[in-house]
Amino acid sequence: MNEHVTDPKEMKKAIRSGIRGALLTQGSATIAELSKKLGLSFPTVSKFLSQMEEEGELALAGMDDSSGGRRAKRYVYNPEYMLGLTVFLEKTETNYAVFNCLGEVKAQFHKASVLMEDLQSLAEHIAEIIEKYPRIRSLAVGVPASVHEGRITYIPGYERFDQADVKGYLEQRFSIPVAVENDMNAAVLGYYHRLDHKNNPSLVYLYFGQNGPGAGILVNGDVVRGSTFFSGEVSFIPQYDDRNFQQALYDGKKPEQAFLHEEGMDAVSRLVASFGAILNPNRIVFNRDEVNQAILDRIADRSAVYFPAQHLPELIVSDWKLDYIQGLQHLGLNLMITEPGI
């Protein structure tokens, strides 16, 4: 627990958050186990558990075997007590997913893209879902844009969302905590949280997507956002005398044809070599819908022309949409656990 929290109201919220986090992480716990983990007295934990059980947030899982004294009660968190909603905006559609506190998806919706509309249109769609699922207690929104503290600062092609304070608008509208994240930052975060973290890997996630190329960068477990939250906008990287990465990648062709011409393959290989030299990541992750193993082999061979092969990162494919959703779920779950208003 945070020893510096002195306000009684804030302390109560911190204790509840600690209990939520511990039960969701461990699966179940006794009063004694929570008392030790959170650094709180046995009576304090007991009082909060009783309150949370009465409200339906917790449930009694049973009694531990006795070691000579009274049998200890074991508690579990009710994963349906709070739900989260993830939303991610793409060029062709808007995707919504409702999930519980264990990350289990309860419902998914696909609607027409709101990127050519406005923030109010997005809010109307969200309102319909919250009306159907009133236990939604957090909202995580993914956007193909640079984001600073919930405000979109760069989103070419979608002027109605440019400079929009998405977090502020939606929190005022729905009175629930909101996280707004760049799509690639969310994807690399989701991929990372499916890994064994013992090696604390550094990762780059590349996506060529509907809105131009982008990258999510994670170093030692932390997403790299940059001083102006513009990190990962790889389309601007100059690679040739007269072309940046995006211009060389597409070279006048459609995005799905990027790897079918020599210039596109060379552009990606140069980018891989650049990341290898600057970050030396463990892996570079590609969207499985955009590349296959044969393409990865060609990229690795070509990258070795520019950078020592023994230092090249591992090139792998993953399910970008799944990683994206799981990254948003991670952000939404953190809000449900820690948000003071809950």
Side-chain angles (χ1 to χ4, degrees):
M1 295 298 300
N2 190 339
E3 298 176 355
H4 303 293
V5 177
T6 57
D7 180 78
K9 187 176 180 181
E10 292 300 315
M11 178 59 75
K12 290 178 181 178
K13 293 170 183 174
I15 292 172
R16 281 197 169 225
S17 295
I19 292 172
R20 284 188 194 114
L23 289 177
L24 287 170
T25 301
Q26 297 175 199
S28 67
T30 64
I31 298 174
E33 290 169 349
L34 288 170
S35 176
K36 181 178 180 180
K37 181 175 180 63
L38 300 177
L40 298 169
S41 69
F42 190 99
T44 296
V45 173
S46 178
K47 181 183 73 173
F48 275 86
L49 288 178
S50 296
Q51 293 173 351
M52 295 169 77
E53 182 182 10
E54 185 177 335
E55 294 166 7
E57 189 167 1
L58 308 179
L60 183 62
M63 308 290 285
D64 278 10
D65 293 335
S66 174
S67 56
R70 295 174 59 185
R71 297 174 66 192
K73 295 179 179 179
R74 181 162 292 276
Y75 292 88
V76 294
Y77 196 82
N78 174 10
E80 309 300 326
Y81 181 75
M82 295 186 290
L83 301 176
L85 174 63
T86 63
V87 183
F88 72 83
L89 283 60
E90 276 284 278
K91 184 177 182 179
T92 58
E93 64 180 2
T94 305
N95 297 270
Y96 306 82
V98 179
F99 65 98
N100 67 12
C101 290
L102 296 180
E104 298 168 341
V105 175
K106 313 299 291 184
Q108 288 183 292
F109 308 91
H110 309 281
K111 297 188 177 182
S113 175
V114 299
L115 283 174
M116 300 306 294
E117 299 180 42
D118 54 23
L119 189 52
Q120 183 176 351
S121 297
L122 173 63
E124 293 301 327
H125 293 171
I126 292 172
E128 293 174 7
I129 297 172
I130 292 179
E131 184 177 359
K132 188 174 181 180
Y133 296 90
R135 301 206 70 83
I136 289 175
R137 295 292 184 270
S138 75
L139 174 60
V141 182
V143 290
S146 296
V147 180
H148 184 194
E149 297 180 349
R151 180 183 293 274
I152 292 177
T153 60
Y154 181 77
I155 184 167
Y158 307 111
E159 287 73 18
R160 293 183 181 181
F161 278 86
D162 189 34
Q163 305 305 313
D165 182 6
V166 180
K167 175 181 171 67
Y169 182 89
L170 295 178
E171 285 187 339
Q172 184 176 22
R173 172 77 182 268
F174 299 111
S175 299
I176 59 175
V178 176
V180 184
E181 184 59 279
N182 166 268
D183 53 359
M184 293 313 301
N185 288 345
V188 76
L189 190 64
Y191 177 83
Y192 171 74
H193 280 282
R194 293 198 289 112
L195 297 178
D196 180 352
H197 297 164
K198 292 180 180 178
N199 297 325
N200 209 14
S202 293
L203 307 166
V204 174
Y205 206 128
L206 285 178
Y207 180 56
F208 306 113
Q210 299 176 12
N211 297 289
I217 303 168
L218 185 143
V219 176
N220 297 329
D222 294 321
V223 174
V224 177
R225 293 181 171 83
S227 62
T228 62
F229 295 80
F230 203 67
S231 177
E233 298 292 345
V234 295
S235 61
F236 294 103
I237 294 177
Q239 290 190 321
Y240 305 89
D241 290 341
D242 59 345
R243 288 172 294 166
N244 60 30
F245 174 65
Q246 179 166 325
Q247 292 164 340
L249 176 67
Y250 299 140
D251 195 31
K253 299 177 175 61
K254 296 179 180 179
E256 60 269 21
Q257 297 175 320
F259 294 101
L260 300 180
H261 63 98
E262 187 65 22
E263 292 82 0
M265 181 64 65
D266 186 62
V268 176
S269 300
R270 286 173 182 253
L271 186 63
V272 167
S274 297
F275 275 125
I278 296 170
L279 292 176
N280 192 213
N282 299 77
R283 295 176 182 175
I284 294 182
V285 186
F286 294 79
N287 177 16
R288 70 179 187 183
D289 292 331
E290 296 179 328
V291 304
N292 54 34
Q293 190 58 50
I295 291 175
L296 290 186
D297 291 342
R298 290 176 60 198
I299 293 172
D301 290 343
R302 188 60 173 264
S303 299
V305 173
Y306 303 110
F307 187 73
Q310 66 268 32
H311 296 293
L312 282 171
E314 180 184 9
L315 307 182
I316 66 167
V317 296
S318 187
D319 186 331
W320 176 79
K321 190 172 184 178
L322 175 63
D323 294 330
Y324 192 176
I325 291 173
Q326 291 193 343
L328 292 176
Q329 283 184 358
H330 173 77
L331 295 172
L333 182 58
N334 281 347
L335 289 178
M336 287 193 282
I337 291 173
T338 63
E339 172 58 31
I342 296 176

